Amino acid sequence: MCGIVGYIGQQSAATLLLEGLKTLEYRGYDSAGIALAPGDGAFRVTRASGKLVNLQGRLDPRDPATLGIGHTRWATHGRPTEENAHPHRSGDGKVVAVHNGIFENFLELRKELQDKGESFLSETDTEAFPVMVSHLLKGGVTFTEAFRQALGRMEGIYAIACLHADDPNRILAARSGPPLVIGLGEGENFLASDVVPLLRHTRRVIFLEDGDLAELTRNGVRIFDLQGKELHRPIQNIPYDPVAAEKGGFKHFMQKEIFEQPQAISNTLLNRLPIEASEPIPLELPFTDEDLKSLQRIHIVACGTSWHAGLVGKFLIEQLARTAVEVDYASEYRYREPVIPEGTLIIGITQSGETADTLAAMKEAASRGARTLAICNVLGSTATRTAEATILTHAGPEIGVASTKAFTTQLAVLTLLALRIGEAKGTVDPKLRAELLQGLRELPAHLEHISALEPRIIQWAQRWRDASDFLYLGRGPLYPIALEGALKLKEISYIHAEGYPAGEMKHGPIALIDKDLPVVALMPKDSHREKTLSNLQEAAARDGRILGLVTQGDRGLDGIAEDVLELPEVHPWLAPILYVLPLQLLSYHIAVLRGCDVDQPRNLAKSVTVE
Ligand code: F6R
């Protein structure tokens, strides 16, 4: 959740670290700090609560130090105050550390160290680490040895970077859980929680594995295991265009990412649609037709928006491959001792590839014999490195905390996957397959068309910006989109919203309906249309204010809805990819009108690496 950066080289560390933290701010933004090691036996530590700009105002950009570490925090233990902001120092001021994760045994360690005369200044779990390293150094061991021994005492998960004021020629870092990536330069090296801050400086990176300890100096990087044995990790070249991670004229990353969806979907589909009708879907899966044929059951695990993608995936896979699919919140699945019969494939859907619950759920299923597949947007993330197979979504970096293009590209991949499994099992009707493939090809143009409806959606936002609640209704594959519309609104505008299957409304939520409740209705022309229409008539009869999304030319909501947006006609099973876009825009514009911080909504973080 938190963001870590480190730099050792010839340039001003203050400037580089601050720039790096800016690109990682999406990981946490309730306080931040930087420690610089000028090499005179002390550190210059600057910290501030609140957003990064508060820290920026306190830093001297001309500081000559060429070694330092920085951190942007999402509070777990201790309030988001300056005292609790990282870097944390040992009592003698000789050791500083930044940490992402949780040290579960910190109270015990704190007591042990206090009994030995060490002092603490913060409420955090992290502080136990530099204090422990400093204590071990007093026993005469080297910095690396003290760091290694301190790691051995920590229980929990961590990505950590640490400096010693009397050894100002190295950064020590380690990982067990949250990600940590090293960027390789010439006469300089970098460290960060993900590749984005590194891309301005280098494309050559090393992803640390769990249990790795890294030593970064100006001239090189060495990696060891926790027993001190040297390891060789591959250097990877990252193809991302750094410009993709900038706002490019849009007011917010979220808006830019909503508008990038036509391109993102094109990139996701590139080289994955068969040219000849007789060819199988060219998905880069290591599974043979026999493997796919023998699949008896699929379990999908995910969190939040990715879980909504999983619900659409269930619909598609069950329809196209006639294989039973269960979809679980990863945080529930991992603890419910799931029954995993032979022939089960577990699919983890995770944009970041770092969500702790999703990774743990996949691990749990793998340990019980399931085969594993990750659907992920981040090459080199933990999910892609631990799953047996990965399908990348190719949405490009998603910086806005609320997921948009990562979601629609997940849906595109799930459609291809459902078709691919269906092909292997012989359950897909060739005509339907051709229709869906053609529909996928047309998606980017349809998404462009829908993006142009933004002015109408702004009107909806203006009218309803002060509503206290929203209800979203849909059926079949549009039900998960109702859930997603409600989640988007909640997380960025802080308006309470619920998504419901339209048919379920009369079993409870109908009690909420009155003239002040906007009801966003998803009603494409599909087999559910008539039923949804009846449900909406029930809502209108109780003065509900209906905002409808329908297929071009459908007049069914005339006289019932307050306003209706007509969306291009697509195969109903592809409608989720189109219908979510207006809902993303609606949340975005309501949040902007309410003055909310769209890209960094309160209490949230992009990558949830804690349970
Ligand atoms: C919502 C959102 C979150 C994530 C969830 C899972 O906009 O972004 O609900 O979808 O935290 O994250 P990933 O997909 O990275 O596992």
Side-chain angles (χ1 to χ4, degrees), residues 191-271:
L191 181 74
S193 292
D194 72 30
V195 293
V196 176
L198 306 178
L199 292 175
R200 287 170 192 218
H201 310 288
T202 179
R203 299 288 172 96
R204 297 171 62 235
V205 306
I206 298 174
F207 292 97
L208 292 184
E209 302 279 342
D210 280 349
D212 285 359
L213 184 164
E215 182 190 68
L216 286 77
T217 59
R218 289 183 173 78
N219 295 321
V221 169
R222 294 174 76 195
I223 298 171
F224 303 90
D225 68 13
L226 292 183
Q227 283 66 49
K229 182 168 153 273
E230 188 153 6
L231 303 167
H232 293 281
R233 297 282 178 225
I235 297 175
Q236 305 207 19
N237 277 296
I238 299 295
Y240 281 163
D241 172 3
V243 176
E246 317 223 330
K247 278 187 209 151
F250 285 89
K251 197 162 170 215
H252 297 99
F253 278 112
M254 183 182 177
Q255 190 187 24
K256 171 177 175 257
E257 289 158 6
I258 292 172
F259 280 87
E260 276 173 352
Q261 290 178 108
Q263 188 60 47
I265 294 280
S266 295
N267 294 347
T268 299
L269 297 177
L270 189 71
N271 299 330

Coordinates of all heavy atoms in Angstrom, one line a residue, residues 191-271:
L191 N 15.6 2.3 -6.5 CA 14.8 1.3 -5.8 C 13.4 1.9 -5.8 O 13.2 3.1 -5.5 CB 15.3 1.1 -4.4 CG 14.6 0.1 -3.5 CD1 15.0 -1.3 -4.0 CD2 15.0 0.3 -2.1
A192 N 12.4 1.1 -6.0 CA 11.0 1.6 -5.9 C 10.0 0.4 -5.7 O 10.3 -0.7 -5.9 CB 10.6 2.4 -7.1
S193 N 8.8 0.8 -5.3 CA 7.7 -0.2 -5.1 C 7.2 -0.7 -6.4 O 6.6 -1.8 -6.4 CB 6.6 0.4 -4.3 OG 7.0 0.7 -3.0
D194 N 7.2 0.1 -7.4 CA 6.9 -0.5 -8.8 C 7.7 0.2 -9.8 O 8.5 1.1 -9.5 CB 5.4 -0.4 -9.0 CG 4.8 1.0 -9.3 OD1 5.6 1.8 -9.8 OD2 3.7 1.3 -9.0
V195 N 7.5 -0.2 -11.1 CA 8.4 0.2 -12.1 C 8.2 1.7 -12.5 O 9.1 2.3 -13.1 CB 8.4 -0.6 -13.4 CG1 8.9 -2.0 -13.1 CG2 7.0 -0.7 -14.0
V196 N 7.0 2.3 -12.3 CA 6.7 3.6 -12.9 C 7.8 4.7 -12.5 O 8.3 5.3 -13.4 CB 5.3 4.0 -12.5 CG1 5.0 5.4 -13.0 CG2 4.3 3.0 -13.1
P197 N 8.2 4.8 -11.2 CA 9.2 5.8 -10.9 C 10.5 5.6 -11.6 O 11.3 6.5 -11.7 CB 9.3 5.8 -9.4 CG 8.5 4.8 -8.9 CD 7.7 4.1 -10.0
L198 N 10.8 4.3 -11.9 CA 12.1 4.0 -12.4 C 12.2 4.3 -13.9 O 13.3 4.5 -14.4 CB 12.4 2.5 -12.3 CG 12.2 1.9 -10.8 CD1 12.5 0.4 -10.8 CD2 13.2 2.6 -9.9
L199 N 11.1 4.4 -14.6 CA 11.1 4.5 -16.1 C 11.7 5.7 -16.6 O 12.2 5.7 -17.7 CB 9.6 4.3 -16.6 CG 9.1 2.9 -16.4 CD1 7.6 2.9 -16.8 CD2 9.9 1.9 -17.1
R200 N 11.7 6.8 -15.8 CA 12.3 8.0 -16.3 C 13.8 7.9 -16.4 O 14.5 8.7 -17.0 CB 12.1 9.2 -15.3 CG 10.7 9.7 -15.4 CD 10.5 10.6 -14.2 NE 9.1 10.8 -14.1 CZ 8.6 12.0 -13.8 NH1 9.3 13.0 -13.6 NH2 7.3 12.1 -13.8
H201 N 14.4 6.9 -15.7 CA 15.8 6.8 -15.5 C 16.4 5.5 -16.2 O 17.5 5.5 -16.7 CB 16.2 6.7 -14.0 CG 15.5 7.8 -13.3 ND1 16.0 9.1 -13.4 CD2 14.5 7.9 -12.4 CE1 15.2 9.9 -12.6 NE2 14.3 9.2 -12.0
T202 N 15.6 4.5 -16.3 CA 16.1 3.2 -16.8 C 15.0 2.3 -17.2 O 13.9 2.4 -16.6 CB 17.0 2.5 -15.8 OG1 17.5 1.3 -16.4 CG2 16.4 2.2 -14.5
R203 N 15.2 1.5 -18.2 CA 14.2 0.4 -18.5 C 14.7 -0.9 -17.9 O 14.0 -1.9 -18.1 CB 14.0 0.3 -20.0 CG 13.5 1.5 -20.7 CD 12.0 1.7 -20.3 NE 11.6 3.0 -20.9 CZ 10.9 3.1 -22.0 NH1 10.7 2.1 -22.8 NH2 10.5 4.3 -22.4
R204 N 15.9 -1.0 -17.4 CA 16.5 -2.2 -16.9 C 16.2 -2.4 -15.4 O 16.7 -1.6 -14.6 CB 18.0 -2.3 -17.2 CG 18.3 -2.2 -18.7 CD 19.8 -2.0 -18.9 NE 20.6 -3.1 -18.4 CZ 21.6 -3.0 -17.6 NH1 22.0 -1.8 -17.1 NH2 22.2 -4.1 -17.2
V205 N 15.4 -3.4 -15.1 CA 15.0 -3.6 -13.7 C 15.2 -5.0 -13.3 O 15.2 -6.0 -14.1 CB 13.5 -3.2 -13.5 CG1 13.3 -1.8 -14.1 CG2 12.6 -4.2 -14.2
I206 N 15.3 -5.2 -12.0 CA 15.2 -6.5 -11.3 C 14.1 -6.5 -10.3 O 14.0 -5.6 -9.4 CB 16.6 -6.8 -10.6 CG1 17.7 -6.8 -11.5 CG2 16.5 -8.1 -9.8 CD1 19.1 -6.9 -10.8
F207 N 13.2 -7.5 -10.5 CA 12.1 -7.6 -9.5 C 12.6 -8.5 -8.3 O 13.1 -9.6 -8.6 CB 10.9 -8.3 -10.1 CG 10.2 -7.4 -11.1 CD1 10.5 -7.6 -12.5 CD2 9.3 -6.5 -10.8 CE1 9.9 -6.8 -13.4 CE2 8.7 -5.7 -11.7 CZ 9.0 -5.8 -13.0
L208 N 12.6 -8.0 -7.1 CA 13.1 -8.8 -6.0 C 12.0 -9.9 -5.7 O 10.8 -9.7 -5.9 CB 13.3 -8.0 -4.8 CG 14.4 -7.0 -4.8 CD1 14.6 -6.3 -3.4 CD2 15.7 -7.7 -5.2
E209 N 12.5 -11.0 -5.3 CA 11.6 -12.1 -4.9 C 11.4 -12.1 -3.4 O 12.3 -11.6 -2.7 CB 12.2 -13.5 -5.3 CG 12.5 -13.6 -6.8 CD 11.3 -14.0 -7.6 OE1 10.3 -14.5 -7.0 OE2 11.3 -13.8 -8.9
D210 N 10.4 -12.8 -2.9 CA 10.2 -12.9 -1.5 C 11.5 -13.6 -0.9 O 12.0 -14.6 -1.5 CB 9.0 -13.8 -1.2 CG 7.7 -13.0 -1.3 OD1 7.8 -11.8 -1.4 OD2 6.7 -13.6 -1.3
G211 N 12.0 -13.0 0.2 CA 13.1 -13.6 0.8 C 14.4 -13.0 0.3 O 15.5 -13.4 0.8
D212 N 14.4 -12.1 -0.6 CA 15.6 -11.5 -1.2 C 16.1 -10.4 -0.3 O 15.2 -9.6 0.2 CB 15.4 -11.0 -2.6 CG 15.3 -12.1 -3.7 OD1 15.5 -13.2 -3.3 OD2 15.1 -11.7 -4.8
L213 N 17.4 -10.2 -0.2 CA 18.0 -9.1 0.5 C 18.9 -8.4 -0.6 O 19.7 -9.1 -1.2 CB 18.8 -9.6 1.6 CG 19.5 -8.6 2.6 CD1 19.8 -9.3 3.9 CD2 20.6 -7.9 2.0
A214 N 18.7 -7.1 -0.9 CA 19.5 -6.5 -1.9 C 20.4 -5.4 -1.3 O 20.0 -4.8 -0.4 CB 18.6 -5.9 -2.9
E215 N 21.6 -5.3 -1.9 CA 22.5 -4.3 -1.5 C 22.8 -3.4 -2.7 O 23.3 -3.9 -3.7 CB 23.8 -5.0 -1.0 CG 24.9 -4.0 -0.5 CD 26.2 -4.8 -0.3 OE1 26.8 -5.2 -1.3 OE2 26.6 -4.9 0.8
L216 N 22.4 -2.2 -2.7 CA 22.6 -1.3 -3.8 C 23.8 -0.3 -3.4 O 23.8 0.4 -2.4 CB 21.4 -0.4 -4.0 CG 20.2 -1.0 -4.7 CD1 19.4 -1.9 -3.7 CD2 19.2 0.1 -5.2
T217 N 24.8 -0.3 -4.3 CA 25.9 0.7 -4.2 C 25.8 1.6 -5.4 O 25.0 1.3 -6.3 CB 27.2 0.0 -4.0 OG1 27.5 -0.8 -5.1 CG2 27.3 -0.8 -2.7
R218 N 26.8 2.5 -5.6 CA 26.8 3.3 -6.8 C 27.1 2.5 -8.0 O 26.7 2.7 -9.1 CB 27.7 4.5 -6.7 CG 27.2 5.5 -5.7 CD 28.0 6.8 -5.6 NE 27.2 7.7 -4.7 CZ 27.2 7.7 -3.4 NH1 27.8 6.7 -2.7 NH2 26.4 8.5 -2.7
N219 N 28.0 1.5 -7.7 CA 28.5 0.7 -8.9 C 27.9 -0.6 -9.1 O 28.3 -1.3 -10.0 CB 30.0 0.6 -8.7 CG 30.7 1.9 -8.8 OD1 30.2 2.8 -9.6 ND2 31.6 2.2 -7.9
G220 N 26.9 -1.0 -8.3 CA 26.4 -2.3 -8.6 C 25.3 -2.7 -7.6 O 25.0 -1.9 -6.7
V221 N 24.7 -3.8 -7.9 CA 23.6 -4.4 -7.0 C 23.9 -5.8 -6.8 O 24.3 -6.5 -7.7 CB 22.3 -4.2 -7.8 CG1 21.2 -5.0 -7.0 CG2 21.9 -2.8 -7.9
R222 N 23.8 -6.2 -5.5 CA 24.0 -7.7 -5.3 C 22.8 -8.1 -4.5 O 22.2 -7.4 -3.7 CB 25.3 -7.9 -4.4 CG 26.5 -7.6 -5.2 CD 27.7 -7.6 -4.4 NE 28.1 -9.0 -4.1 CZ 29.0 -9.4 -3.2 NH1 29.5 -8.5 -2.4 NH2 29.3 -10.7 -3.0
I223 N 22.4 -9.4 -4.8 CA 21.2 -9.9 -4.1 C 21.6 -11.2 -3.4 O 22.3 -12.0 -3.9 CB 20.1 -10.2 -5.1 CG1 19.7 -8.8 -5.8 CG2 18.9 -10.8 -4.5 CD1 18.8 -8.9 -7.0
F224 N 21.1 -11.3 -2.1 CA 21.4 -12.5 -1.3 C 20.1 -13.1 -0.8 O 19.1 -12.4 -0.7 CB 22.2 -12.0 -0.1 CG 23.5 -11.3 -0.5 CD1 23.5 -9.9 -0.6 CD2 24.7 -12.0 -0.7 CE1 24.7 -9.2 -1.0 CE2 25.8 -11.3 -1.1 CZ 25.8 -10.0 -1.2
D225 N 20.2 -14.3 -0.3 CA 19.0 -14.9 0.4 C 19.3 -14.5 1.9 O 20.3 -13.9 2.3 CB 18.8 -16.3 0.2 CG 19.9 -17.2 0.7 OD1 20.7 -16.8 1.5 OD2 19.9 -18.4 0.3
L226 N 18.3 -14.9 2.7 CA 18.4 -14.4 4.1 C 19.5 -15.2 4.9 O 19.9 -14.8 6.0 CB 17.1 -14.5 4.8 CG 16.0 -13.6 4.3 CD1 14.7 -13.7 5.1 CD2 16.5 -12.1 4.4
Q227 N 20.1 -16.2 4.3 CA 21.2 -16.9 4.9 C 22.5 -16.3 4.4 O 23.6 -16.7 4.8 CB 21.2 -18.4 4.6 CG 20.2 -19.2 5.3 CD 18.8 -18.8 5.0 OE1 18.4 -18.8 3.8 NE2 18.0 -18.6 6.0
G228 N 22.5 -15.3 3.5 CA 23.7 -14.7 3.1 C 24.3 -15.3 1.8 O 25.3 -14.8 1.3
K229 N 23.6 -16.2 1.2 CA 24.1 -16.8 -0.1 C 23.7 -15.9 -1.2 O 22.6 -15.4 -1.4 CB 23.4 -18.2 -0.3 CG 23.8 -18.9 -1.5 CD 23.3 -20.4 -1.4 CE 23.2 -21.0 -2.8 NZ 21.9 -20.8 -3.4
E230 N 24.7 -15.6 -2.1 CA 24.4 -14.7 -3.2 C 23.5 -15.3 -4.3 O 23.7 -16.5 -4.6 CB 25.7 -14.2 -3.9 CG 25.5 -13.1 -4.9 CD 26.6 -12.1 -5.1 OE1 27.7 -12.4 -4.5 OE2 26.4 -11.1 -5.8
L231 N 22.6 -14.5 -4.8 CA 21.6 -15.1 -5.8 C 21.8 -14.3 -7.1 O 22.2 -13.2 -7.1 CB 20.2 -14.9 -5.3 CG 19.8 -15.5 -3.9 CD1 18.5 -14.9 -3.5 CD2 19.7 -17.0 -4.1
H232 N 21.3 -14.9 -8.2 CA 21.3 -14.2 -9.5 C 19.9 -14.0 -10.0 O 19.2 -15.0 -10.3 CB 22.2 -14.9 -10.5 CG 23.6 -14.8 -10.0 ND1 24.4 -13.7 -10.2 CD2 24.4 -15.7 -9.3 CE1 25.6 -13.9 -9.6 NE2 25.6 -15.1 -9.1
R233 N 19.4 -12.8 -10.0 CA 18.0 -12.6 -10.5 C 18.1 -12.0 -11.9 O 19.0 -11.1 -12.1 CB 17.3 -11.6 -9.5 CG 17.1 -12.1 -8.1 CD 16.0 -13.1 -8.1 NE 15.8 -13.6 -6.7 CZ 15.6 -14.9 -6.5 NH1 15.6 -15.8 -7.5 NH2 15.4 -15.3 -5.3
P234 N 17.2 -12.3 -12.8 CA 17.3 -11.8 -14.1 C 17.0 -10.3 -14.2 O 16.2 -9.8 -13.5 CB 16.2 -12.6 -14.9 CG 15.2 -13.1 -13.8 CD 16.0 -13.2 -12.5
I235 N 17.7 -9.7 -15.2 CA 17.4 -8.3 -15.5 C 16.3 -8.3 -16.5 O 16.4 -9.0 -17.5 CB 18.7 -7.6 -16.0 CG1 19.8 -7.6 -14.9 CG2 18.4 -6.2 -16.5 CD1 21.1 -7.1 -15.4
Q236 N 15.3 -7.5 -16.3 CA 14.2 -7.4 -17.3 C 14.2 -6.0 -17.9 O 14.4 -5.0 -17.3 CB 12.9 -7.7 -16.6 CG 12.9 -9.0 -15.9 CD 11.5 -9.6 -15.8 OE1 10.6 -9.3 -16.5 NE2 11.4 -10.6 -14.8
N237 N 13.8 -6.0 -19.2 CA 13.6 -4.7 -19.9 C 12.1 -4.4 -19.9 O 11.3 -5.2 -20.4 CB 14.2 -4.8 -21.3 CG 15.6 -4.6 -21.3 OD1 16.1 -3.5 -20.9 ND2 16.4 -5.6 -21.6
I238 N 11.8 -3.2 -19.4 CA 10.3 -2.9 -19.3 C 10.0 -2.0 -20.5 O 10.6 -1.0 -20.8 CB 10.0 -2.1 -18.0 CG1 10.4 -3.0 -16.8 CG2 8.6 -1.6 -18.0 CD1 9.5 -4.2 -16.7
P239 N 8.9 -2.4 -21.3 CA 8.6 -1.7 -22.5 C 7.7 -0.4 -22.3 O 7.5 0.3 -23.2 CB 7.8 -2.7 -23.3 CG 7.2 -3.6 -22.3 CD 8.2 -3.6 -21.1
Y240 N 7.2 -0.2 -21.1 CA 6.3 0.9 -20.9 C 6.8 2.2 -21.4 O 7.9 2.6 -21.2 CB 6.0 1.2 -19.4 CG 5.0 0.3 -18.8 CD1 4.9 0.2 -17.4 CD2 4.1 -0.5 -19.5 CE1 4.0 -0.7 -16.8 CE2 3.2 -1.4 -18.9 CZ 3.2 -1.4 -17.5 OH 2.3 -2.3 -16.9
D241 N 5.9 3.0 -21.9 CA 6.2 4.4 -22.3 C 6.0 5.2 -21.1 O 4.8 5.3 -20.6 CB 5.3 4.7 -23.5 CG 5.4 6.2 -23.8 OD1 6.2 6.9 -23.2 OD2 4.6 6.6 -24.7
P242 N 7.0 5.9 -20.6 CA 6.7 6.7 -19.3 C 5.7 7.8 -19.5 O 5.0 8.1 -18.6 CB 8.1 7.4 -19.0 CG 9.0 7.1 -20.2 CD 8.4 6.0 -21.0
V243 N 5.5 8.3 -20.8 CA 4.5 9.3 -21.0 C 3.1 8.7 -20.7 O 2.2 9.5 -20.2 CB 4.5 9.8 -22.5 CG1 3.4 10.8 -22.8 CG2 5.9 10.4 -22.7
A244 N 2.9 7.4 -20.8 CA 1.6 6.8 -20.5 C 1.2 7.0 -19.1 O 0.1 6.9 -18.7 CB 1.6 5.3 -20.9
A245 N 2.2 7.3 -18.2 CA 2.0 7.4 -16.8 C 1.8 8.9 -16.4 O 1.9 9.3 -15.3 CB 3.1 6.8 -16.0
E246 N 1.6 9.8 -17.4 CA 1.4 11.2 -17.1 C 0.0 11.6 -17.6 O -0.6 11.0 -18.4 CB 2.5 12.0 -17.8 CG 3.8 11.4 -17.7 CD 4.9 12.3 -17.4 OE1 4.8 13.5 -17.8 OE2 5.9 11.9 -16.8
K247 N -0.5 12.8 -17.1 CA -1.9 13.1 -17.3 C -2.2 13.6 -18.7 O -3.4 13.5 -19.1 CB -2.3 14.2 -16.3 CG -2.7 13.7 -15.0 CD -3.2 14.8 -14.1 CE -2.9 14.5 -12.7 NZ -2.8 15.7 -11.8
G248 N -1.3 14.1 -19.5 CA -1.5 14.4 -20.9 C -2.6 15.3 -21.2 O -3.5 14.9 -22.0
G249 N -2.8 16.4 -20.5 CA -3.8 17.4 -20.8 C -5.1 17.1 -20.1 O -5.9 18.0 -20.0
F250 N -5.3 16.0 -19.5 CA -6.6 15.7 -18.8 C -6.4 16.3 -17.4 O -5.3 16.4 -16.8 CB -6.9 14.2 -18.7 CG -7.4 13.7 -20.0 CD1 -6.5 13.2 -20.9 CD2 -8.8 13.7 -20.3 CE1 -7.0 12.7 -22.1 CE2 -9.2 13.2 -21.5 CZ -8.4 12.7 -22.4
K251 N -7.6 16.6 -16.8 CA -7.5 17.2 -15.4 C -7.1 16.1 -14.4 O -6.4 16.4 -13.4 CB -8.9 17.7 -15.1 CG -8.9 18.7 -13.9 CD -10.2 19.5 -13.9 CE -10.2 20.3 -12.6 NZ -11.6 20.4 -12.1
H252 N -7.5 14.9 -14.6 CA -7.2 13.8 -13.6 C -6.8 12.6 -14.4 O -7.2 12.4 -15.5 CB -8.4 13.5 -12.8 CG -8.9 14.6 -11.9 ND1 -10.0 15.4 -12.3 CD2 -8.5 15.1 -10.7 CE1 -10.2 16.3 -11.3 NE2 -9.3 16.1 -10.4
F253 N -6.0 11.8 -13.7 CA -5.7 10.5 -14.3 C -6.9 9.6 -14.6 O -7.0 9.0 -15.6 CB -4.8 9.7 -13.4 CG -3.3 10.1 -13.5 CD1 -2.7 10.7 -12.4 CD2 -2.6 9.8 -14.6 CE1 -1.4 11.1 -12.5 CE2 -1.3 10.2 -14.7 CZ -0.6 10.9 -13.7
M254 N -7.9 9.7 -13.7 CA -9.1 8.9 -13.9 C -9.8 9.2 -15.2 O -10.2 8.4 -16.0 CB -10.1 9.0 -12.8 CG -11.3 8.1 -12.9 SD -12.4 8.3 -11.6 CE -13.7 7.2 -12.1
Q255 N -9.9 10.5 -15.5 CA -10.6 11.0 -16.7 C -9.8 10.5 -17.9 O -10.3 10.0 -18.9 CB -10.7 12.5 -16.7 CG -11.6 13.0 -17.8 CD -11.6 14.5 -17.9 OE1 -10.6 15.2 -17.5 NE2 -12.6 15.1 -18.5
K256 N -8.5 10.7 -17.9 CA -7.6 10.2 -19.0 C -7.8 8.7 -19.2 O -7.9 8.3 -20.3 CB -6.2 10.6 -18.6 CG -5.2 10.0 -19.6 CD -3.8 10.4 -19.2 CE -2.7 9.7 -20.1 NZ -2.0 8.6 -19.4
E257 N -7.8 8.0 -18.1 CA -7.9 6.5 -18.2 C -9.3 6.1 -18.7 O -9.4 5.1 -19.5 CB -7.5 5.9 -16.9 CG -6.0 6.1 -16.7 CD -5.5 6.0 -15.2 OE1 -6.4 5.7 -14.3 OE2 -4.3 6.3 -15.0
I258 N -10.3 6.8 -18.4 CA -11.6 6.5 -19.0 C -11.6 6.7 -20.5 O -12.1 5.8 -21.2 CB -12.8 7.4 -18.3 CG1 -13.0 7.1 -16.9 CG2 -14.1 7.2 -19.1 CD1 -13.9 8.0 -16.1
F259 N -11.0 7.8 -20.9 CA -10.9 8.1 -22.3 C -9.9 7.2 -23.1 O -10.0 7.2 -24.3 CB -10.7 9.6 -22.6 CG -11.9 10.4 -22.4 CD1 -12.3 10.9 -21.2 CD2 -12.7 10.7 -23.5 CE1 -13.5 11.6 -21.0 CE2 -13.9 11.4 -23.4 CZ -14.3 11.8 -22.1
E260 N -9.1 6.6 -22.4 CA -8.1 5.7 -23.0 C -8.7 4.3 -23.4 O -8.0 3.5 -23.9 CB -6.9 5.5 -22.1 CG -5.8 6.6 -22.2 CD -4.7 6.4 -21.2 OE1 -4.8 5.6 -20.3 OE2 -3.8 7.2 -21.3
Q261 N -9.9 4.1 -22.9 CA -10.4 2.7 -23.1 C -10.5 2.2 -24.5 O -10.2 1.0 -24.7 CB -11.7 2.6 -22.3 CG -11.4 2.6 -20.8 CD -12.7 2.6 -19.9 OE1 -12.9 1.6 -19.3 NE2 -13.4 3.6 -19.9
P262 N -10.9 3.0 -25.5 CA -10.8 2.5 -26.8 C -9.5 1.9 -27.2 O -9.3 0.8 -27.7 CB -11.2 3.7 -27.7 CG -12.0 4.6 -26.8 CD -11.4 4.4 -25.4
Q263 N -8.4 2.7 -26.9 CA -7.1 2.3 -27.2 C -6.6 1.1 -26.3 O -6.0 0.1 -26.8 CB -6.1 3.4 -26.9 CG -4.7 3.2 -27.4 CD -4.6 2.9 -28.9 OE1 -5.2 3.6 -29.7 NE2 -3.9 1.8 -29.3
A264 N -7.0 1.1 -25.1 CA -6.6 0.0 -24.2 C -7.3 -1.3 -24.6 O -6.6 -2.3 -24.7 CB -7.1 0.3 -22.7
I265 N -8.5 -1.2 -25.1 CA -9.2 -2.5 -25.5 C -8.5 -2.9 -26.8 O -8.2 -4.1 -27.0 CB -10.7 -2.2 -25.8 CG1 -11.4 -1.9 -24.5 CG2 -11.3 -3.4 -26.5 CD1 -11.7 -3.1 -23.6
S266 N -8.2 -2.0 -27.7 CA -7.4 -2.4 -28.9 C -6.1 -3.1 -28.6 O -5.8 -4.1 -29.2 CB -7.1 -1.2 -29.8 OG -8.2 -0.5 -30.2
N267 N -5.4 -2.5 -27.7 CA -4.1 -3.1 -27.3 C -4.3 -4.5 -26.7 O -3.5 -5.4 -26.9 CB -3.4 -2.2 -26.3 CG -2.9 -0.9 -26.9 OD1 -3.0 -0.7 -28.1 ND2 -2.6 0.0 -26.0
T268 N -5.4 -4.6 -25.9 CA -5.6 -5.9 -25.3 C -6.0 -7.0 -26.3 O -5.6 -8.2 -26.2 CB -6.8 -5.8 -24.2 OG1 -6.3 -4.8 -23.3 CG2 -7.1 -7.1 -23.6
L269 N -6.7 -6.6 -27.3 CA -7.1 -7.5 -28.4 C -6.1 -7.8 -29.4 O -6.2 -8.8 -30.2 CB -8.4 -7.0 -29.0 CG -9.6 -6.9 -28.1 CD1 -10.8 -6.3 -28.9 CD2 -10.0 -8.2 -27.5
L270 N -5.1 -6.9 -29.5 CA -4.1 -7.0 -30.5 C -3.4 -8.4 -30.6 O -3.0 -8.9 -29.5 CB -3.0 -5.9 -30.3 CG -2.0 -5.8 -31.4 CD1 -2.6 -5.1 -32.6 CD2 -0.8 -4.9 -30.9
N271 N -3.4 -9.0 -31.7 CA -2.9 -10.3 -32.0 C -3.6 -11.4 -31.2 O -3.1 -12.5 -31.0 CB -1.4 -10.4 -31.6 CG -0.6 -9.5 -32.4 OD1 -0.9 -9.2 -33.6 ND2 0.5 -8.9 -31.8

